Amino acid sequence: MDYLVKQLLIGLLFLMTTIMSSFHSSATAIWKTEGYGYVFDLTNHVKPLVYDISDNYCLLNHFLTDEAQRDGVTIDEKTKQLDFDKLFPLSVTKLDVLPKTCTSNELNGFQSNSYVFNSRQVLRVVLDSFSYHYAFTEEKELNWKALKSRWLQRADNNTTPDELQQIIDEFLEYIRDGHAILIDGSLNRLSHYSPRKSASEIRLKEYLVENSEFSDISQVYRYIYRQWIKNVESYFSTNKPAQYLADNFLIAKLKGGGSYFRVESFDAHETQEVMQKITPHFNRSKGVIIDLRDSSGGSDLVALQIMSYLIDKPLRIGTKSFKVPTGMSEKKGILVSPAYIKPFVGKIVVITSHLTPSAAEVFLIALKARNNVIFIGENSYGALSDALIKALPNGWGITLSNEFYADSEGQSYEFVGVPVEHAFEFPNIKDIKESKDSALEYAIKLLDEQPDRN
């Protein structure tokens, strides 16, 4: 749905902004990242430059360069690390000079006065970006040599930008990766496909046909969403008003005595302050229902910061690796340490949907490693990897998944989503008509019946 794509792009913009605003020491030099395909030219501290590099080309990444020149960028020369707002900083190596491909002028970008649009050139950079950085080549059994030959035949010197966009659209439909998005220079979505088809769109289209007052499916979705929110609120206790906190979170007391906690995004909006405020409320309730059905992406660090208030001892939640030229990097264990206040370690029921993506899914694999958690709803979206952003010569950009997350048992949920124990569709049209929320009702019942597993 467009709503989810918008939230993914908002999360991407948030990530880019944080990339350039969180560095803490200067290192005037040229630096190449391990994996990720970036070169940071910091020889001119006033005008830092960020390049996308491969064996075949070097292209100025205008998205990251604009951020770097606006906010500044530095690298810790002692640790040789770049804080990229990720679970682990990126390792970098100092270069004496820029790679030859960056000075050969064989590939000009749209910023150059001599640039001439070339559809095959743009398409080649798209395909090269995937072949160099895509983390799921083996899982999808992709033969990049054959795929490049096949897709490059689709474009020639007469292919227009609109025709090229259609070709890339069909390529992304073939790949079906939740973080593979074609964007324009302003981060507007041009093309994107979810990891798997969902029956929810069919249900919404059927509702559109049955209700002539709606002109398109987006109107139906907005109506259904408003009604769903209204239905959820009918389960809240009237003794204590629900609270929206920091634009991201909703906390409410349920009529049955449990706490309801909805995380609408995992952006860094006073997360620590919010969790310090609401965790004591959790501890005074019979349990917590965490509703992630309409949650969006954001920062993995925020997801794990929330998790730190739900454990009382260090917890290994899984591993993370990233694409490198020789395959995948060494897997690093992801460890969450408890917060310094009294945590909530009681019952948790999590409600998810096929729209629960990205950082929300990292939160899910963290919850999977915790005792006393039940998952209901639908399998989540299936896009745990961060979105690696690459520039295209004509000013567009392409994002893709270059990282591999696994849970504490080594299981990956990319494309399939984190599974649930009890299924409830979302949105539920029958529930909308009957002014109820079956999943929430079942979650409340679980809080009453499910014994502690501690």
Side-chain angles (χ1 to χ4, degrees):
M1 289 185 180
D2 286 343
Y3 169 79
L4 176 59
V5 177
K6 179 181 179 182
Q7 294 305 308
L8 288 172
L9 291 177
I10 289 173
L12 175 61
L13 180 59
F14 167 78
L15 173 62
M16 290 171 55
T17 301
T18 310
I19 284 169
M20 300 308 171
S21 63
S22 60
F23 304 118
H24 52 277
S25 68
S26 61
T28 302
I30 300 171
W31 300 89
K32 180 181 178 181
T33 61
E34 179 187 6
Y36 297 84
Y38 292 132
V39 165
F40 287 79
D41 183 354
L42 308 184
T43 52
N44 183 341
H45 69 278
V46 178
K47 288 190 175 183
L49 303 173
V50 186
Y51 293 94
D52 293 326
I53 63 164
S54 75
D55 293 339
N56 299 327
Y57 67 86
C58 175
L59 183 66
L60 186 71
N61 188 315
H62 51 286
F63 300 104
L64 297 186
T65 293
D66 288 348
E67 293 287 341
Q69 294 186 359
R70 186 189 70 196
D71 300 327
V73 52
T74 54
I75 291 172
D76 192 317
E77 191 162 11
K78 291 183 179 179
T79 63
K80 291 182 173 55
Q81 289 185 331
L82 177 77
D83 187 353
F84 221 45
D85 190 45
K86 292 178 177 291
L87 297 182
F88 306 106
L90 303 190
S91 297
V92 294
T93 303
K94 185 184 290 187
L95 303 179
D96 294 327
V97 296
L98 283 171
K100 289 183 179 179
T101 51
C102 297
T103 56
S104 65
N105 294 323
E106 292 182 7
L107 179 61
N108 290 323
F110 71 100
Q111 306 97 329
S112 172
N113 293 330
S114 61
Y115 175 72
V116 177
F117 174 77
N118 183 314
S119 62
R120 282 179 61 87
Q121 182 188 72
V122 175
L123 185 56
R124 185 179 295 278
V125 173
V126 170
L127 296 168
D128 278 354
S129 296
F130 273 86
S131 65
Y132 278 100
H133 300 291
Y134 193 52
F136 300 96
T137 292
E138 291 187 8
E139 285 76 7
K140 286 181 171 284
E141 299 181 345
L142 301 172
N143 182 328
W144 286 113
K145 182 177 180 181
L147 286 172
K148 286 181 181 181
S149 175
R150 167 187 163 189
W151 284 95
L152 284 172
Q153 291 177 15
R154 300 282 302 277
D156 58 32
N157 294 335
N158 296 318
T159 302
T160 66
D162 287 344
E163 291 170 338
L164 174 63
Q165 182 179 329
Q166 179 61 35
I167 294 170
I168 298 176
D169 177 86
E170 293 175 16
F171 170 72
L172 295 183
E173 184 178 18
Y174 172 78
I175 293 294
R176 276 203 170 272
D177 183 289
H179 276 143
I181 308 172
L182 177 67
I183 56 177
D184 66 16
S186 300
L187 291 175
N188 297 309
R189 176 183 69 94
L190 300 178
S191 179
H192 169 262
Y193 288 89
S194 60
R196 61 189 189 277
K197 295 180 179 180
S198 170
S200 69
E201 188 170 350
I202 296 174
R203 296 195 298 268
L204 293 174
K205 287 180 178 179
E206 290 174 347
Y207 192 85
L208 175 62
V209 172
E210 296 170 358
N211 296 270
S212 59
E213 66 268 29
F214 300 109
S215 60
D216 56 47
I217 197 170
S218 63
Q219 286 188 358
V220 171
Y221 182 76
R222 286 193 293 270
Y223 169 76
I224 295 293
Y225 184 83
R226 288 195 301 267
Q227 292 302 115
W228 169 67
I229 293 293
K230 183 178 179 181
N231 291 350
V232 167
E233 292 173 350
S234 70
Y235 295 87
F236 295 170
S237 172
T238 56
N239 296 330
K240 186 174 183 180
Q243 296 182 67
Y244 271 102
L245 301 170
D247 297 326
N248 283 18
F249 310 102
L250 174 68
I251 177 71
K253 182 179 180 181
L254 294 163
K255 291 178 179 178
S259 291
Y260 176 87
F261 182 44
R262 187 161 74 235
V263 184
E264 296 185 352
S265 73
F266 287 83
D267 293 340
H269 293 320
E270 305 172 15
T271 304
Q272 184 172 327
E273 293 85 348
V274 169
M275 293 306 299
Q276 288 176 359
K277 181 177 182 178
I278 66 177
T279 302
H281 293 278
F282 292 168
N283 282 319
R284 291 193 294 269
S285 68
K286 66 168 61 175
V288 178
I289 295 171
I290 301 178
D291 196 341
L292 302 178
R293 284 176 287 182
D294 69 331
S295 189
S296 65
S299 168
D300 296 342
L301 297 176
V302 170
L304 299 189
Q305 188 175 41
I306 296 172
M307 187 66 196
S308 70
Y309 290 84
L310 305 175
I311 54 176
D312 60 358
K313 57 186 177 182
L315 182 68
R316 185 181 183 274
I317 70 159
T319 61
K320 177 180 179 179
S321 57
F322 57 90
K323 185 72 171 65
V324 294
T326 55
M328 297 297 293
S329 71
E330 179 182 356
K331 294 180 180 179
K332 289 187 177 181
I334 306 171
L335 186 71
V336 184
S337 297
Y340 60 86
I341 70 169
K342 182 182 178 181
F344 173 74
V345 294
K347 303 174 186 178
I348 294 177
V349 180
V350 188
I351 316 178
T352 59
S353 79
H354 66 284
L355 300 176
T356 306
S358 197
E361 295 181 283
V362 175
F363 184 49
L364 290 178
I365 66 169
L367 288 169
K368 279 184 87 281
R370 179 192 186 273
N371 289 328
N372 214 5
V373 181
I374 303 172
F375 297 81
I376 71 172
E378 296 176 322
N379 281 26
S380 61
Y381 188 64
L384 285 81
S385 168
D386 294 336
L388 179 72
I389 186 167
K390 291 294 176 180
L392 301 179
N394 66 335
W396 293 349
I398 193 78
T399 70
L400 57 94
S401 298
N402 73 312
E403 299 167 335
F404 185 94
Y405 283 83
D407 69 8
S408 59
E409 297 178 350
Q411 180 66 45
S412 169
Y413 299 104
E414 205 77 27
F415 314 117
V416 298
V418 179
V420 295
E421 300 167 54
H422 307 280
F424 292 90
E425 65 185 34
F426 181 83
N428 188 314
I429 303 299
K430 186 174 183 290
D431 277 2
I432 296 301
K433 293 177 179 179
E434 297 179 1
S435 298
K436 67 177 185 178
D437 188 326
S438 297
L440 183 54
E441 286 184 6
Y442 190 74
I444 293 171
K445 180 180 177 182
L446 287 173
L447 286 187
D448 292 331
E449 296 180 355
Q450 183 66 27
D452 287 344
R453 298 177 185 175
N454 287 340

